[in-house]
């Protein structure tokens, strides 16, 4: 079974530039998450999709970050314009929905992430 | 507001020793407590998880101990191996319809031969 695919793996941009990250979840996973992982910290949820609808984007800095999941499969996270403090690894995760009896609750499968450096 | 506090930040253990990582949570609505393992350059991967209706769960060399009254849970790695060297994150989720994970800050474990 293929895992969560993310691209690019690395991105270096200057502040005020724009950047986009792409995620392809595990086939059949209806729920998709974007996390921001700053060096030395745990992942922080930015946005959660259920199919192509947003479940929670309360921690997404909407003045500069946007995300979409057209057709309920692939997703794109965009930052425009980038700030120095946006330097982090951006992780995409997916999970199966609906939950089934006997399946552990909310197993999230993570991609390898995109490491963003804003100079 | 950090809802899941993890300690220690880093840990060095001799091969064959026991690694212990602790977490404490505040939100009593949490009802699912997973541990994730992350190797450099990789995303976190689920290691083991527990629900609050049991006090302990063991899978191979990995054990979660859970203390509901103290709102604490811990990961024990028995017979630690160099291949266990990674960063470990505790997490929690819960509440009606809420499956979002809140992560601790992580513990970098180094197992030395």
């Amino acid at each position: 079974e293929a895992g969560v695919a993310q691209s690019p793996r690395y991105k270096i941009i200057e502040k005020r530039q724009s950047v986009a990250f792409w995620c392809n979840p595990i086939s059949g996973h209806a729920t998709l998450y974007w996390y921001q992982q700053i060096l030395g910290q745990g992942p922080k949820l930015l946005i959660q999709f259920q199919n192509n609808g947003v479940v929670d984007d309360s921690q997404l800095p909407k003045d500069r970050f946007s995300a979409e999941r057209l057709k309920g499969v692939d997703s794109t996270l965009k930052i425009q314009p980038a700030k120095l403090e946006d330097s982090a690894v951006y992780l995409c995760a997916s999970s199966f929905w609906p939950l089934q009896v006997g399946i552990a609750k909310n197993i999230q499968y993570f991609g390898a992430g995109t490491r963003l450096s804003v100079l | 507001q950090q809802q899941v506090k993890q300690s220690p930040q880093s840990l060095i253990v001799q091969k064959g020793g026991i690694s212990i990582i602790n977490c404490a949570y505040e939100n009593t609505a949490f009802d699912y407590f997973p541990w994730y393992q992350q190797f450099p350059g990789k995303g976190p991967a689920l290691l083991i998880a527990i629900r609050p209706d049991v006090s302990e769960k063991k899978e191979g060399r990995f054990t979660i101990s859970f203390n509901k009254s103290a709102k604490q849970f811990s990961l024990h790695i028995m017979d630690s191996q160099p291949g266990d060297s990674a960063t470990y994150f505790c997490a929690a989720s819960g509440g009606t319809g809420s499956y979002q994970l809140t992560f601790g800050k992580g513990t970098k474990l180094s197992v030395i031969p």
Side-chain angles (χ1 to χ4, degrees):
Chain A
E1 177 181 78
V4 176
Q6 290 189 248
S7 67
R9 286 300 312 276
Y10 306 93
K11 191 73 177 179
I12 301 174
I13 61 172
E14 294 187 349
K15 60 182 179 182
R16 292 187 290 273
Q17 286 187 324
S18 301
V19 64
F21 313 124
W22 174 82
C23 173
N24 181 238
I26 293 173
S27 177
H29 282 193
T31 307
L32 185 146
Y33 312 81
W34 282 102
Y35 289 87
Q36 180 191 58
Q37 185 175 22
I38 293 174
L39 185 64
Q41 297 186 21
K44 184 186 86 170
L45 180 70
L46 292 175
I47 189 168
Q48 177 185 349
F49 290 95
Q50 182 68 28
N51 294 307
N52 60 351
V54 175
V55 174
D56 188 339
D57 62 357
S58 59
Q59 298 192 86
L60 187 73
K62 298 180 187 65
D63 58 334
R64 298 183 300 106
F65 286 65
S66 64
E68 61 182 11
R69 191 183 183 197
L70 301 176
K71 301 181 181 180
V73 182
D74 294 5
S75 178
T76 302
L77 177 69
K78 297 180 181 178
I79 307 176
Q80 181 180 9
K83 292 185 176 181
L84 297 177
E85 58 261 36
D86 298 332
S87 294
V89 175
Y90 290 85
L91 295 163
C92 178
S94 68
S95 63
F96 182 76
W97 187 273
L99 298 177
Q100 296 176 337
V101 173
I103 302 296
K105 180 179 180 180
N106 191 33
I107 297 178
Q108 295 187 23
Y109 297 86
F110 285 80
T114 297
R115 181 176 297 277
L116 174 66
S117 296
V118 182
L119 306 178
Chain B
Q1 179 185 9
Q2 183 188 0
Q3 296 191 52
V4 179
K5 295 183 179 180
Q6 183 172 348
S7 63
Q9 187 175 354
S10 63
L11 182 62
I12 300 174
V13 173
Q14 291 270 359
K15 178 183 176 182
I18 302 174
S19 303
I20 302 174
I21 304 171
N22 301 299
C23 281
Y25 63 97
E26 300 168 0
N27 188 345
T28 55
F30 286 151
D31 63 358
Y32 175 68
F33 302 90
W35 285 88
Y36 278 79
Q37 180 188 55
Q38 186 176 28
F39 293 104
K42 304 291 186 182
L46 178 67
L47 187 62
I48 186 172
I50 196 169
R51 296 180 180 274
D53 52 345
V54 296
S55 60
E56 186 175 281
K57 183 174 181 179
K58 183 177 181 179
E59 290 185 0
R61 297 184 294 108
F62 301 91
T63 299
I64 299 179
S65 297
F66 187 84
N67 186 328
K68 187 175 181 178
S69 61
K71 292 188 287 186
Q72 295 175 346
F73 58 110
S74 60
L75 176 69
H76 296 235
I77 305 174
M78 310 299 289
D79 186 26
S80 299
Q81 299 297 312
D84 297 330
S85 297
T87 299
Y88 293 80
F89 295 95
C90 61
S93 70
T96 302
S98 173
Y99 302 109
Q100 298 169 9
L101 291 174
T102 299
F103 284 86
K105 289 191 173 184
T107 297
K108 185 175 182 179
L109 171 65
S110 298
V111 181
I112 55 176

